[in-house]
Amino acid sequence: MEPGPGRVKDSGKWQKPRFSRKALMKCCLVKWIIASTQPQDKGSFDSTRSSDSDLELSTVRHQPEGLDQLQAQTKFTKKELQSLYRGFKNECPSGLVDEETFKSIYSQFFPQGDATTYAHFLFNAFDKDRNGSIRFEDFVIGLSVLLRGSVTEKLNWAFNLYDINKDGYITKEEMLAIMKSIYDMMGRYTYPCVRDEAPSEHVDKFFQKMDRNRDGVVTIEEFIETCQKDENIMNSMQLFENVI
Amino acid sequence: MAGVAAWLPFARAAAIGWMPVANLPMPVAPNQKNKRQDELIILNVSGRRFQTWRNTLDRYPDTLLGSSEKEFFYNEETHEYFFDRDSEMFRSVLNFYRTGKLHYPRSECISAYDEELAFFGIIPEIIGDCCYEEYKDRKRENAERLQDDLEDNKDKKPPNMTCRETMWRAFENPHTSTMALVFYYVTGFFIAISVITNVVETVPCGTSTHQKEVPCGERYTVAFFCMDTACVMIFTVEYLMRLFAAPSRYRFMRSVMSIIDVVAILPYYIGLVMTDNEDVSGAFVTLRVFRVFRIFKFSRHSQGLRILGYTLKSCASELGFLLFSLTMAIIIFATVMFYAEKGSSSSKFTSIPASFWYTIVTMTTLGYGDMVPKTIAGKIFGSICSLSGVLVIALPVPVIVSNFSRIYHQNQRADKRRAQKMQKARLARIRISKTGSSSGFLHSKRNGLFNDPLELTGSIEDEQQLSKSTSLLESQHHHLLHCLEKTTNHEFVNEQCYQQSYLEAGQNYQSQSPSLSSQEGMTGTCCTRRSKKRHSPLPNSSVPSGALMHPLELSTIHIQPHTTSRSSLNMRLEEQHPLNCQSGGKVTTAIISIPTPPAANSPEGDAQPPAVPAHHQNIVKVSAL
């Protein structure tokens, strides 16, 4: 290997730099000259570079697992999965739903109120691996629980939704946030008007019902136990059996 | 809403998240017995077959293809829907369903496209931003063309015009009648005669050599005077007739043309008044100059003159600025030339104002040659002056030309401004159609279409009635919103109801009906409202006591949800109370025409089916005592 210009051999004896092409390439001055004469659009326009990389990110396409695998993981039939995927792909051609898109889609169903906060909680409930986007698998697995799961599974899912920090306990603050977001969806024009204390009153009622040992938090066992005793809740859990 | 119809099942499934927090039972989901598996349907448009999923078309239920209206086009033998329309344009219609965006194909005629959209029930306002401007431009062009055609055909005289109106019309549009045409040409002729007379008056036509040449005017005074008199007579008569016929005399008198008319004939009369008065004869002569204004009367006869005048008027500011810069240049060069030529003897540049003449003549490249610089410095600066003059004078020409074309496009700019307003109107329309979903929900509530008892009775004709009025998608969406209402124990209302209730806030009313006892002190709510005509929850009561009306509410009867919401009839006792924010008001009215709600007697819903249709019909019939 030829020593580059300026490179000192280990022997200590300074060798005259050989003026070969390889050596030339190693010279930093030459490198700089070559770099500056590279196609200008790469060097001078940082904006396009970043926008190119933006483009790269946005065209990342996610392909879902195969139909058979999904069929195994969920309780949907093949036709149902196909129909679900068609709808999903139509709205999100890249195969991923990010939070903003999710919020905008969910808000369309509640034109009178502001559904973004609740959509945020929903998003976190669906996005199991917390990577900021929902893939079709997450979507379909979540739906499978909600529509075809057992009551316990559904209650588990609801608990997971309320437990914002996923620590296994629902605190009053978490419940208040959830309740406020639900009331936000009602909007302004309601009868009777939504008072400011309405969410917290509702939360108090909820805790009164759910929190058996009065320790200020609701655990999963308390939650499931109470819900199973409440006829209304059990009935409403079956409400959306045949949505798909 | 429509574009995310695919996500409705998801939204409904996610509603399970509300269930544990709700204190009330949820309404029953709409019947899905008629729900078909998603299938491909074939749309045969003039022989070209399009296939799509049924769900795709169901996304927009207020269009032809999304509603049951397409069943009219169903062909039993071939199991397809046949439309006898243009298949090229159908492509963009179908793509609208598929992608949610409507595009305007530029190769298509605008009116044909509009017709297609109207046929398929799609409003053109939802054309995407990418194509909307083009669409609007084409539409405007088309409208203008049609307008022009219309104006050309406006020659028919509307009947019953008064004499005055006829005259005015004759004056303004000479080609409308023969008399008007004759008048038009006669006046034109006399204007020409008058102008020529003025010109010829000054031509010397002296014959005698011993006399100095006299202008013809002085030679044939009488002839010219008669000619002048005749012309002025005609002009005066014309002016008076116009004044008489004008719809707004004051406005007419202020208009430019009438001022020109007045100025044209006034000198004559002033001349008549003060004849042979030596002192003012000088002024009199000056007045005669104004006779030349008669030539401007031609502008009534010439469209081009009018446009030119309008052009100059409209680019007055540009010309003014140019004049200003020219003046600056003139002053600069005149000063320079004066000082340059000061040294030379017998120089014509006696003062700076005197140099102005040289500068102007040089800059406009006239170069009379009556004043020329003699010194070298003068010549140098003189040449610089002429060169810069070329540049400076060349500037106004494109300005005027561009202004001329700008005038033609100016009305287009006004249209764009109108289009801006149209943009707002367009957005408003789109917003309205989108909020149609929320008002649709309230509308359904009004019609009591949350028919829990119907589920129990399961009568077929009622189900059919239900499916007729709302699509499955809508009913599912409404069910979702209803669940939310139950979860939060509040109801969606119309904005107007909200405003009204807000106005009446602070007035607490006790319920007069013994059956509606307020259990939880809801009278403390911020806005108590009058009763929403709730029926009594007591099963044994046969009196429609819930149908209580406050006089104020009568005016808004058409927007308020009606008590006869069937769900409320069958609600259990304990849940009735929190919802009945207490029936307010002094109960002074009663609904007469509402029949005794049959279900009030039996909460288990042996609602007699015959009462159901009657029930629906009587919803808005109210009378006050």
Side-chain angles (χ1 to χ4, degrees), chain B residues 571-589:
Chain B
M571 267 197 293
R572 287 194 287 262
L573 196 62
E574 67 271 8
E575 79 220 29
Q576 189 80 356
H577 300 281
L579 278 182
N580 285 325
C581 185
Q582 295 330 297
S583 53
K586 302 169 195 139
V587 180
T588 55
T589 63

Side-chain angles (χ1 to χ4, degrees), chain A residues 54-66:
Chain A
D54 280 346
L55 276 173
E56 282 212 19
L57 278 177
S58 63
T59 53
V60 159
R61 203 174 75 93
H62 177 80
Q63 240 175 334
E65 304 168 9

Side-chain angles (χ1 to χ4, degrees), chain B residues 513 515-516 530-537 541-549 553 562-564 569 576 580 583 587 589-591 597:
Chain B
S513 162
S515 59
L516 302 169
R530 308 294 177 273
S531 160
K532 285 199 323 170
K533 307 161 290 242
R534 298 227 162 254
H535 274 286
S536 152
S541 156
S542 59
V543 174
S545 57
L548 307 169
M549 279 290 292
E553 284 191 340
H562 203 268
T563 5
T564 52
L569 289 177
Q576 189 80 356
N580 285 325
S583 53
V587 180
T589 63
I591 296 181

Side-chain angles (χ1 to χ4, degrees), chain B residues 97-136:
Chain B
Y97 287 91
R98 290 181 178 138
T99 61
K101 295 199 198 73
L102 183 62
H103 294 281
Y104 168 59
R106 281 160 176 75
S107 57
E108 298 295 334
C109 167
I110 184 78
S111 37
Y113 187 68
D114 269 343
E115 276 173 25
E116 291 298 308
L117 287 186
F119 180 82
F120 286 104
I122 299 172
I123 51 170
E125 273 73 14
I126 48 178
I127 291 181
D129 284 333
C130 44
C131 298
Y132 191 67
E133 200 178 320
E134 171 85 24
Y135 170 81
K136 272 288 158 195

Side-chain angles (χ1 to χ4, degrees), chain A residues 79-109:
Chain A
K79 265 197 183 284
E80 289 167 342
L81 282 172
Q82 281 179 333
S83 163
L84 277 171
Y85 187 67
R86 278 204 302 274
F88 185 84
K89 180 88 177 170
N90 215 20
E91 291 303 317
C92 321
S94 61
L96 294 167
V97 195
D98 63 339
E99 193 164 338
E100 287 312 310
T101 321
F102 187 83
K103 280 181 179 167
S104 67
I105 290 174
Y106 199 71
S107 303
Q108 297 218 19
F109 294 106

Side-chain angles (χ1 to χ4, degrees), chain A residues 86 90-91 102 108-109 111-112 118 126 146 162 175 183 186 188-193 202 236 242-243, chain B residues 1 3 7 10 16-18 20-21 32 38 53 59 98 477 487-488 490-493 495 498 526-527 581:
Chain A
R86 278 204 302 274
N90 215 20
E91 291 303 317
F102 187 83
Q108 297 218 19
F109 294 106
Q112 282 196 322
Y118 186 71
F126 270 88
L146 285 172
Y162 301 145
M175 204 58 221
Y183 273 84
M186 292 295 294
R188 278 189 64 215
Y189 304 124
T190 58
Y191 165 71
C193 304
H202 205 147
S236 54
N242 45 1
V243 160
Chain B
M1 155 91 194
W7 288 75
F10 162 76
I16 286 187
W18 309 331
V21 290
Q32 293 201 48
D38 199 11
W53 298 104
R59 280 192 204 142
R98 290 181 178 138
H477 187 217
T487 309
T488 56
H490 290 68
E491 285 177 21
F492 287 111
V493 296
E495 184 170 342
Y498 174 79
C526 67
C527 41
C581 185

Side-chain angles (χ1 to χ4, degrees), chain B residues 18-296:
Chain B
W18 309 331
M19 304 299 154
V21 290
N23 300 319
L24 307 161
M26 292 293 142
V28 182
N31 202 327
Q32 293 201 48
K33 267 190 258 174
N34 297 332
K35 183 177 188 238
R36 292 173 269 223
Q37 270 286 348
D38 199 11
E39 55 179 10
L40 281 173
I41 64 174
I42 304 174
L43 302 164
N44 184 346
V45 182
S46 305
R48 193 157 149 189
R49 280 181 176 73
F50 296 86
Q51 285 187 317
T52 182
W53 298 104
R54 191 172 282 276
N55 279 356
T56 310
L57 296 180
D58 286 341
R59 280 192 204 142
Y60 298 95
D62 52 348
T63 58
L64 185 150
L65 290 173
S67 64
S68 55
E69 198 182 338
K70 64 178 183 283
E71 302 302 324
F72 284 102
F73 298 91
Y74 188 66
N75 190 342
E76 297 288 346
E77 293 104 44
T78 52
H79 298 290
E80 60 188 22
Y81 293 87
F82 180 74
F83 297 96
D84 201 7
R85 310 291 299 189
D86 188 357
S87 49
E88 281 300 317
M89 283 192 264
F90 187 75
R91 279 179 48 235
S92 45
V93 168
L94 194 55
N95 278 335
F96 166 63
Y97 287 91
R98 290 181 178 138
T99 61
K101 295 199 198 73
L102 183 62
H103 294 281
Y104 168 59
R106 281 160 176 75
S107 57
E108 298 295 334
C109 167
I110 184 78
S111 37
Y113 187 68
D114 269 343
E115 276 173 25
E116 291 298 308
L117 287 186
F119 180 82
F120 286 104
I122 299 172
I123 51 170
E125 273 73 14
I126 48 178
I127 291 181
D129 284 333
C130 44
C131 298
Y132 191 67
E133 200 178 320
E134 171 85 24
Y135 170 81
K136 272 288 158 195
D137 282 344
R138 293 270 283 265
K139 197 145 185 205
R140 195 177 9 94
E141 267 175 45
N142 201 38
E144 279 171 2
R145 206 173 301 131
L146 290 174
Q147 186 73 5
D148 286 341
D149 284 344
L150 242 137
E151 276 170 5
D152 285 345
N153 297 338
K154 230 180 5 183
D155 280 340
K156 292 196 191 45
K157 181 180 160 184
N160 306 330
M161 277 175 62
T162 65
C163 167
R164 187 174 157 184
E165 282 171 2
T166 326
M167 274 175 72
W168 183 247
R169 198 158 154 272
F171 282 132
E172 292 300 301
N173 303 317
H175 54 272
T176 48
S177 73
T178 328
M179 266 309 293
L181 214 55
V182 162
F183 186 76
Y184 176 76
Y185 282 124
V186 161
T187 45
F189 175 69
F190 272 98
I191 293 172
I193 289 282
S194 163
V195 169
I196 291 171
T197 314
N198 286 343
V199 165
V200 168
E201 241 181 7
T202 59
V203 169
C205 45
T207 48
S208 346
T209 48
H210 61 277
Q211 286 175 320
K212 74 173 179 43
E213 293 208 330
V214 289
C216 287
E218 283 175 25
R219 186 133 173 221
Y220 303 102
T221 320
V222 175
F224 279 105
F225 183 72
C226 291
M227 193 77 81
D228 207 18
T229 313
C231 293
V232 168
M233 285 284 185
I234 303 271
F235 296 152
T236 317
V237 165
E238 184 209 351
Y239 180 72
L240 289 174
M241 276 168 67
R242 274 183 204 266
L243 192 62
F244 166 70
S248 158
R249 300 217 170 98
Y250 178 61
R251 206 160 57 108
F252 171 73
M253 282 177 56
R254 281 189 317 173
S255 73
V256 176
M257 290 311 301
S258 92
I259 291 176
I260 290 176
D261 288 340
V262 168
V263 168
I265 59 179
L266 219 46
Y268 177 80
Y269 290 111
I270 294 178
L272 273 184
V273 165
M274 34 175 229
T275 43
D276 296 331
N277 193 336
E278 283 303 317
D279 295 331
V280 294
S281 67
F284 175 63
V285 164
T286 322
L287 270 176
R288 300 188 76 144
V289 167
F290 283 98
R291 290 191 302 172
V292 81
F293 273 78
R294 287 178 196 168
I295 207 167
F296 282 114

